[in-house]
Amino acid sequence: MAAPIFEINALKHEYAGRTVLEIEHLGIRPASIVGLIGPNGSGKSTLLKMIGLIEKPTKGEIQFNGHKVEPFSEEARFRITLLPQEPFLMKRNVFANVTYGLKLRGGGGSLMKKAHKALAMVGLEGDEFLQRPWYALSGGEAQRVALAARLALKPTVLLLDEPTASVDAGSAQLIKEAALRARQASGTTLVIASHDLQWLFEICDEVLHLFKGKILGKGRETVIFGPWHELSAGQWGKVLPDAQLLRVPAPPNPEAPALIDLLPAVTEPVPETDELNRLKGTVSRLSLEKKTGHVFATVLVGGHPFTLRMATNQKERPHIYPGDTISVHYRIDQVKWV
Amino acid sequence: MDFLFDGFIQAFALLLSGNAETYSAIKVTLMVSSYSLGCSLVIGIPLGFGLGYFTFRGKKSIRTVVDTLMALPTVFIGLLVYAFLTHRGPLGDFGLLFTLPGIAVGQTILALPIVIGLSATAVESMDNKLRLAIMSMGANRRQLFLTSLWEVRHGLLAGSIAAYGRVMTEVGISMMVGGNIKWHTRTITTAIALETNKGQFGMGVALGLVLLIIAFGVNISVSFLRRRY
């Protein structure tokens, strides 16, 4: 296996004394696509800023290709680029924005040609857009120009922070396609923070679930917040809005968030036992993880979206469709506490 | 009030006839104010950038001091600079009293807090996302500084214009440090004061109009630069 392009060890970052990110170890393989999911404030953007070398972590170190790096490191500053969530362009025309990074790098070739090519990657016509000032662009166009400015650099690592959050559906599709084309064409490593779980599960080699600044798992778990009530001696749980009981082991405190990973779907009915909690839910969406061939179903249980993995073998896979009511299960002793 | 009307007529007559005394005062004013503005920009913009960009202990106190110094009375600066540059003063050996560089020193002190304060305000109003955008494109520290400055260019320009207006129109420093020596250190403002004392209101109004014309020219140029960049 290739050595990781990024390796993070014992990283901790604080804002005004409050810990916002704490990662014991994380490795990212070259030319892979890594997705980051988690609620707002979970540390996704902070993690991207750390590996994008925009901010220095309070503690710990980040290695890029085996070298310790920090903001302005010569080994990395021309090879990593980050596209922030909100489109931001400098107060210059589109040409100056798209070629800014190229000018910093020097090098030969026609800037005009490169700018045309980069804009074409995000579905914009160079002749129409290159001379436009920054204020004469829509939000979606500005975000695409910002992405074009980064794609023009042919980066080794492209970090995307919710790239489609504040743009229309058409722009979002073009941004998604452009990012994937960059990976195909130049072997760019992509790290993408997004709330578009379906997209991430479709394209990513690995999806990391962040919560309160920590990596909880590989992204298929559901976080359920307290309060938890003691039902009987040693038995804890909470009643969901649809009156179903969610049983959990004893929590560290009654408010602790629980991390629940459903057991894979099976065709045979499974009885509820002391170890196994069964819940009924409605299938809201089916998606395919291209890399593994797994089909995933999003199942709404009492308003909470759970992810259910189906067997790869077609014979063992239950035939379910969005709108179906199905039973899902999890092992109570495998519930993790955040 | 006829003298005002006469003043306007006289102003155009002085300017159009190429009156040597008037043009000497204009030249001295432009030279000395350009020296002082140049110095205050070179020193003040980096300091203002630092004050606006970085967070450090005592920043608020420094900001208060700078804001207070923006209102420094020109006669007070004139007095201090005179005391330092006079033969008995600590900088007397430099022989700067009653010279243009002497006036420029005083005017730089006058303009510096304005440049620092308004640059800091421009930098503080800079979008937080700018730093991220510049760094994510691979800029080093120097490029980050220069690009950030360019992005707040309109704010810096406004600060420079305010400072230029202040140094061009001050009387106290030019009078006390320059001595209002004809053909040598007489500026437009000291000439106006002198002519008014002599009862030559027309000449005073004429020179005042010249100041206005210069200010108008500067503002036209700035508007052009803003549109162009």
Side-chain angles (χ1 to χ4, degrees):
Chain A
M1 188 183 277
I5 192 163
F6 275 114
E7 195 152 21
I8 293 174
N9 287 306
L11 182 141
K12 190 175 181 183
H13 194 60
E14 295 175 350
Y15 287 133
R18 192 173 64 89
T19 302
V20 291
L21 193 66
E22 200 168 2
I23 296 175
E24 204 46 52
H25 180 263
L26 173 65
I28 295 175
R29 283 179 292 115
S32 62
I33 307 180
V34 176
L36 302 176
I37 60 170
N40 290 337
S42 59
K44 303 189 297 292
S45 297
T46 309
L47 176 57
L48 288 180
K49 281 182 196 164
M50 296 290 119
I51 58 178
L53 308 183
I54 305 297
E55 289 180 25
K56 192 179 174 181
T58 311
K59 283 180 192 164
E61 67 169 39
I62 297 170
Q63 291 200 347
F64 177 72
N65 279 338
H67 299 280
K68 188 184 171 191
V69 287
E70 54 184 48
F72 304 110
S73 283
E74 287 299 324
E75 303 93 327
R77 72 183 173 99
F78 285 160
R79 301 180 66 186
I80 304 167
T81 186
L82 164 64
L83 180 73
Q85 178 183 354
E86 287 173 52
F88 182 82
L89 297 177
M90 290 181 276
K91 294 188 177 79
R92 308 163 187 215
N93 65 17
V94 169
F95 174 76
N97 268 289
V98 173
T99 56
Y100 175 77
L102 291 170
K103 285 179 188 161
L104 294 182
R105 283 155 179 74
S110 158
L111 287 178
M112 187 57 82
K113 207 170 161 185
K114 287 177 182 174
H116 270 279
K117 200 174 164 189
L119 281 185
M121 286 180 83
V122 293
L124 295 175
E125 276 289 327
D127 291 336
E128 189 187 344
F129 282 90
L130 277 175
Q131 296 311 318
R132 277 205 202 173
W134 76 97
Y135 53 78
L137 299 168
S138 70
E141 287 166 351
Q143 185 69 320
R144 280 149 70 188
V145 169
L147 178 59
R150 281 140 183 97
L151 294 177
L153 309 174
K154 294 189 177 162
T156 309
V157 180
L158 175 61
L159 311 168
L160 304 171
D161 190 359
E162 300 188 26
T164 57
S166 49
V167 298
D168 59 273
S171 295
Q173 190 54 36
L174 286 161
I175 288 169
K176 289 174 181 179
E177 286 171 11
L180 291 180
R181 262 206 305 274
R183 194 239 187 168
Q184 265 179 344
S186 322
T188 301
T189 306
L190 295 176
V191 184
I192 308 167
S194 177
H195 291 297
D196 188 345
L197 304 192
Q198 192 173 7
W199 177 49
L200 288 187
F201 286 130
E202 274 175 20
I203 63 162
C204 289
D205 300 302
E206 190 176 20
V207 177
L208 304 173
H209 195 151
L210 269 92
F211 187 75
K212 289 190 173 175
K214 291 181 179 171
I215 295 174
L216 297 184
K218 300 295 181 188
R220 298 290 182 191
E221 308 87 347
T222 300
V223 180
I224 305 285
F225 295 89
W228 305 99
H229 303 286
E230 189 161 17
L231 309 167
S232 57
Q235 293 278 318
W236 288 74
K238 83 182 266 182
V239 179
L240 296 173
D242 61 356
Q244 295 193 81
L245 181 63
L246 199 70
R247 290 191 288 147
V248 294
N253 67 70
E255 298 295 330
L259 204 62
I260 296 177
D261 197 7
L262 292 183
L263 292 171
V266 287
T267 45
E268 297 300 316
V270 179
E272 184 160 298
T273 63
D274 283 351
E275 292 82 33
L276 217 60
N277 197 167
R278 189 172 67 178
L279 298 164
K280 279 203 178 304
T282 307
V283 178
S284 69
R285 196 166 66 189
L286 294 173
S287 58
L288 172 70
E289 192 176 66
K290 281 185 187 159
K291 192 177 167 62
T292 59
H294 280 126
V295 173
F296 287 89
T298 304
V299 183
L300 292 174
V301 180
H304 296 281
F306 284 80
T307 304
L308 178 66
R309 187 158 60 89
M310 318 281 257
T312 41
N313 184 337
Q314 212 164 351
K315 283 181 188 165
E316 293 169 18
R317 189 188 304 158
H319 295 283
I320 57 171
Y321 300 95
D324 286 356
T325 300
I326 61 165
S327 290
V328 294
H329 314 81
Y330 64 89
R331 288 189 64 88
I332 295 169
D333 59 357
Q334 285 184 358
V335 171
K336 291 180 207 157
W337 298 103
V338 180
Chain B
M1 297 292 282
D2 285 346
F3 68 88
L4 276 180
F5 180 72
D6 293 342
F8 279 107
I9 304 291
Q10 203 179 341
F12 287 108
L14 286 170
L15 289 173
L16 294 176
S17 67
N19 179 278
E21 200 179 331
T22 308
Y23 276 93
S24 165
I26 292 171
K27 188 183 159 197
V28 167
T29 304
L30 289 176
M31 273 176 65
V32 78
S33 56
S34 299
Y35 289 155
S36 53
L37 186 72
C39 290
S40 57
L41 291 182
V42 168
I43 302 167
I45 287 179
L47 289 176
F49 184 88
L51 186 59
Y53 193 79
F54 298 108
T55 306
F56 53 90
R57 215 169 160 179
K59 176 176 171 163
K60 274 189 179 173
S61 310
I62 294 176
R63 195 65 213 264
T64 307
V65 170
V66 169
D67 289 346
T68 307
L69 293 177
M70 283 168 84
L72 261 182
T74 58
V75 283
F76 180 64
I77 299 173
L79 175 70
L80 285 180
V81 176
Y82 185 95
F84 271 80
L85 298 185
T86 189
H87 289 301
R88 283 181 297 166
L91 304 176
D93 292 343
F94 290 101
L96 292 174
L97 196 62
F98 306 134
T99 64
L100 294 187
I103 304 175
V105 168
Q107 289 189 345
T108 302
I109 295 169
L110 177 69
L112 202 52
I114 300 170
V115 174
I116 294 174
L118 296 184
S119 301
T121 304
V123 172
E124 277 168 355
S125 66
M126 196 165 71
D127 198 313
N128 285 334
K129 295 188 283 290
L130 176 65
R131 181 174 181 273
L132 191 157
I134 298 171
M135 285 182 72
S136 72
M137 304 301 279
N140 59 23
R141 284 187 176 86
R142 188 181 63 86
Q143 289 158 340
L144 173 65
F145 170 69
L146 293 176
T147 307
S148 301
L149 277 188
W150 182 250
E151 288 301 302
V152 294
R153 58 195 176 275
H154 293 156
L156 297 181
L157 204 57
S160 310
I161 295 293
Y164 198 55
R166 186 102 159 101
V167 295
M168 255 206 353
T169 54
E170 68 82 25
V171 191
I173 297 166
S174 303
M175 190 71 89
M176 294 172 80
V177 182
N180 196 18
I181 303 165
K182 193 175 180 179
W183 309 113
H184 183 46
T185 59
R186 182 165 296 169
T187 64
I188 296 175
T189 51
T190 56
I192 292 173
L194 182 73
E195 296 301 330
T196 309
N197 282 341
K198 281 159 53 183
Q200 300 290 327
F201 295 117
M203 182 74 172
V205 171
L207 289 167
L209 273 178
V210 171
L211 265 186
L212 271 179
I213 291 167
I214 293 172
F216 184 67
V218 169
N219 278 309
I220 291 280
S221 313
V222 168
S223 298
F224 171 77
L225 286 176
R226 275 192 170 174
R227 276 200 305 275
R228 181 77 179 74
Y229 301 102

